[in-house]
């Protein structure tokens, strides 16, 4: 089970480091197998701006690009969406990408290329490899900055292995509760965005529904709500996609994504 340090810290108050949190969990019987740096594939990967694009003399589908990162680089790119003026993600020489792809200076059809413009698939963000990632124009002042900082992929991920009898620990809330029980230096709390005192109820006429067959002797509390007007054909917001990726979960559709998110968060 993958748990984000940043998301976990929304549920606890502590001065413990990531290593101390991992040690506390492990010594409490919930093994942390490893701590994964979210930016492990993003070192030497920077925000760049394409200054110029021209045709490759020896290949119809390739382009010779002049790209500004922390220096000007000549990079050969075959993506259909590469164009002058766009902001891109550039892996410089020396970068190590998923599947042990090491970026080297090389000649492609007789022209030197000093780096690579990256797609989501090449960075392990998704299976989309149709074109390179194009960043918003607001990235102008961030040219040369680390992509891990710009995209906020600088988290640490705990790879946790609860035993099968600890189903209560297969969620962020469950892990946070156990941590608070393991150490006096850790206090459990609910994140501000989940504070029920700040929520309001709105009743809508015409959506009456009933619950039948619920046995109060077994189920002590049951709640039901109807949510209408949901467009499941659209895309989930970036914040949700980013948070799901920290759990190792890819985006599917808005309804599935939000269901998965609360399953990881609350164990529901």
């Amino acid at each position: 089970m993958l748990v984000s340090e940043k998301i976990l810290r929304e549920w606890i108050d502590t001065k413990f480091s990531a290593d101390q949190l991992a040690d506390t969990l492990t010594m409490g019987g919930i093994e942390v197998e490893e701590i994964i740096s979210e930016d492990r594939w993003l070192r030497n990967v920077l925000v760049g701006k394409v200054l110029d694009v021209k045709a490759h003399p020896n290949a119809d589908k390739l382009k010779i690009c002049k790209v500004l990162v922390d220096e000007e680089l000549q990079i050969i790119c075959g993506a259909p969406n590469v164009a002058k003026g766009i902001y891109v993600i550039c892996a410089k020489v020396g970068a190590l990408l998923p599947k042990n792809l090491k970026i080297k200076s090389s000649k492609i059809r007789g022209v030197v290329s000093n780096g690579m413009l990256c797609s989501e698939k090449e960075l392990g963000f998704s299976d989309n490899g149709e074109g390179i990632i194009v960043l918003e124009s607001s990235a102008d002042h961030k040219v040369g900055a680390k992509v891990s900082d710009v995209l906020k992929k600088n988290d640490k991920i705990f790879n946790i292995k609860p035993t099968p009898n600890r189903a209560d620990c297969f969620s962020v809330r469950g892990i946070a509760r156990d941590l608070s029980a393991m150490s006096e230096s850790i206090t459990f709390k609910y994140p501000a965005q989940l504070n029920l005192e700040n929520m309001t109820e709105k009743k809508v006429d015409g959506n009456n529904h009933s619950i039948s067959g619920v046995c109060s002797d077994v189920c002590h509390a049951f709640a039901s709500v109807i949510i209408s007007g949901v467009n499941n054909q659209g895309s989930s917001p970036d914040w949700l996609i980013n948070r799901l990726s920290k759990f190792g979960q890819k985006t599917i559709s808005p309804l599935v994504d939000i269901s998965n998110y609360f399953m990881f968060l609350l164990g529901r």
Side-chain angles (χ1 to χ4, degrees):
M1 174 184 171
L2 302 179
V3 175
S4 153
E5 180 194 5
K6 287 187 175 180
I7 295 177
L8 179 60
R9 287 190 183 276
E10 294 175 359
W11 291 80
I12 56 175
D13 279 326
T14 184
K15 294 182 179 179
F16 276 13
S17 67
D19 288 335
Q20 287 174 309
L21 290 174
D23 288 343
T24 302
L25 280 169
T26 299
M27 296 308 294
I30 302 175
E31 182 184 1
V32 178
E33 293 189 318
E34 61 178 332
I35 301 176
I36 305 166
S37 294
E38 196 180 25
D39 65 350
R40 64 196 183 283
W41 304 122
L42 297 177
R43 290 157 189 170
N44 221 18
V45 180
L46 309 177
V47 174
K49 182 177 182 180
V50 180
L51 302 178
D52 189 42
V53 177
K54 60 183 180 181
H56 193 295
N58 303 318
D60 293 338
K61 294 184 178 181
L62 297 180
K63 299 288 190 298
I64 302 175
C65 306
K66 182 189 292 184
V67 183
L68 175 64
V69 281
D70 54 349
E71 60 181 323
E72 282 192 14
L73 299 174
Q74 177 174 282
I75 297 176
I76 309 300
C77 181
N81 61 333
V82 65
K84 181 180 178 179
I86 64 173
Y87 295 89
V88 294
I89 294 179
C90 176
K92 295 184 66 179
V93 172
L96 181 64
L97 303 186
K99 299 182 180 179
N100 289 320
L101 174 61
K102 188 170 184 178
I103 306 303
K104 302 177 181 178
S105 180
S106 60
K107 279 190 176 182
I108 301 178
R109 296 291 185 93
V111 179
V112 174
S113 181
N114 292 310
M116 183 173 76
L117 305 186
C118 302
S119 67
E120 291 185 3
K121 185 175 183 178
E122 287 158 343
L123 292 176
F125 292 172
S126 74
D127 293 328
N128 181 14
E130 293 298 318
I132 57 174
I133 298 171
V134 178
L135 301 172
E136 296 179 359
S137 58
S138 58
D140 190 8
H141 65 287
K142 298 174 182 175
V143 169
K146 295 179 181 178
V147 165
S148 56
D149 293 335
V150 173
L151 299 184
K152 297 181 180 179
K153 289 190 175 289
N154 46 16
D155 203 349
K156 292 185 184 297
I157 310 297
F158 299 116
N159 188 359
I160 301 175
K161 190 177 181 181
T163 50
N165 64 312
R166 294 303 309 275
D168 58 302
C169 289
F170 282 91
S171 67
V172 175
R173 177 172 61 178
I175 293 295
R177 277 180 169 163
D178 245 41
L179 273 169
S180 67
M182 292 173 183
S183 173
E184 293 181 352
S185 299
I186 304 173
T187 304
F188 177 82
K189 67 175 183 178
Y190 267 89
Q193 62 266 33
L194 290 180
N195 188 346
L196 297 179
E197 294 180 358
N198 297 330
M199 296 184 181
T200 58
E201 179 184 0
K202 182 180 179 181
K203 294 184 178 180
V204 180
D205 294 335
N207 279 341
N208 295 326
H209 63 292
S210 62
I211 301 169
S212 60
V214 177
C215 179
S216 59
D217 293 337
V218 179
C219 179
H220 302 292
F222 192 94
S224 175
V225 64
I226 290 178
I227 301 174
S228 59
V230 177
N231 177 17
N232 199 38
Q233 304 304 312
S235 299
S236 294
D238 290 341
W239 71 264
L240 179 56
I241 294 173
N242 182 49
R243 286 195 161 218
L244 281 174
S245 70
K246 296 176 185 290
F247 295 107
Q249 178 68 46
K250 295 179 180 178
T251 181
I252 298 174
S253 68
L255 286 177
V256 175
D257 289 351
I258 198 65
S259 299
N260 282 338
Y261 178 56
F262 276 95
M263 177 182 68
F264 290 123
L265 206 63
L266 303 178
R268 296 296 181 93

